[in-house]
Amino acid sequence: MLDLPVGHPSCSAAGSFAHTFSCEICPAKQSWITGNFLPALLFDDAQALGRATAWDVLSLSLQTVPSSDAIVGGTSCVDLSNQKHSEKEGVIASHEGQSSVTFLGLLSYCRRHRPPLVFGENVWNLILVASNWEELVSLFRSIGYVMS
């Protein structure tokens, strides 16, 4: 979803990845994450990712939100789902609902921590509805990212 110029240090072909944290509010999904990935931290509120600290459900305490070289993030699909309703215009711009809240949490993380690589989960109705896509592009560009 976002890219860097060729030659940027983060565009190396060789390297390794460490799963440093996850963020999920649903206890069943938290259990799946910890059973499959063993993250060091598991935050429960996407809105807190742009803060210095957030609640970690593994240690049951406030922990520092770490910076990263890359982040894989997405939005809750509940407000964008075909099963929810047919009107999906302005979901991000509304700043209401789970889809907007989780997207804005990702954006606030990127604003604070400036990961050079941001991979976005593809929620079909987020990119299909022009006003949502335009808002997403505008918000990432406003904090210095290049969209592609």
Side-chain angles (χ1 to χ4, degrees), residues 68-89:
S68 61
D69 293 326
I71 187 166
V72 178
T75 66
S76 167
C77 63
V78 69
D79 302 312
L80 296 161
S81 169
N82 284 330
Q83 296 175 349
K84 171 85 175 191
H85 52 72
S86 60
E87 180 58 45
K88 294 155 192 82
E89 191 81 22

Side-chain angles (χ1 to χ4, degrees), residues 102-112 136 139-143 145:
T102 55
F103 171 77
L104 294 172
L106 173 63
L107 186 72
S108 69
Y109 179 86
C110 292
R111 183 180 293 117
R112 181 181 188 96
L136 183 146
L139 288 168
F140 268 103
R141 286 183 176 161
S142 76
I143 62 169
Y145 283 91

Side-chain angles (χ1 to χ4, degrees), residues 11-25:
C11 294
S12 170
S16 63
F17 294 92
H19 186 163
T20 56
F21 73 92
S22 285
C23 183
E24 177 56 57
I25 196 165

Side-chain angles (χ1 to χ4, degrees), residues 12-67:
S12 170
S16 63
F17 294 92
H19 186 163
T20 56
F21 73 92
S22 285
C23 183
E24 177 56 57
I25 196 165
C26 174
K29 293 177 184 177
Q30 290 172 353
S31 179
W32 184 86
I33 290 168
T34 57
N36 288 283
F37 298 106
L38 302 171
L41 300 164
L42 179 54
F43 301 116
D44 68 349
D45 183 1
Q47 296 177 89
L49 293 180
R51 301 180 193 144
T53 60
W55 186 257
D56 173 39
V57 298
L58 300 176
S59 67
L60 300 177
S61 63
L62 285 174
Q63 296 291 323
T64 300
V65 177
S67 293

Side-chain angles (χ1 to χ4, degrees), residues 1-8 10-11 114-120 133 140-141 144-148:
M1 176 166 27
L2 304 175
D3 68 353
L4 295 170
V6 174
H8 190 281
S10 295
C11 294
R114 307 299 304 160
L117 296 172
V118 180
F119 299 94
W133 177 248
F140 268 103
R141 286 183 176 161
Y145 283 91
V146 176
M147 300 288 297
S148 73

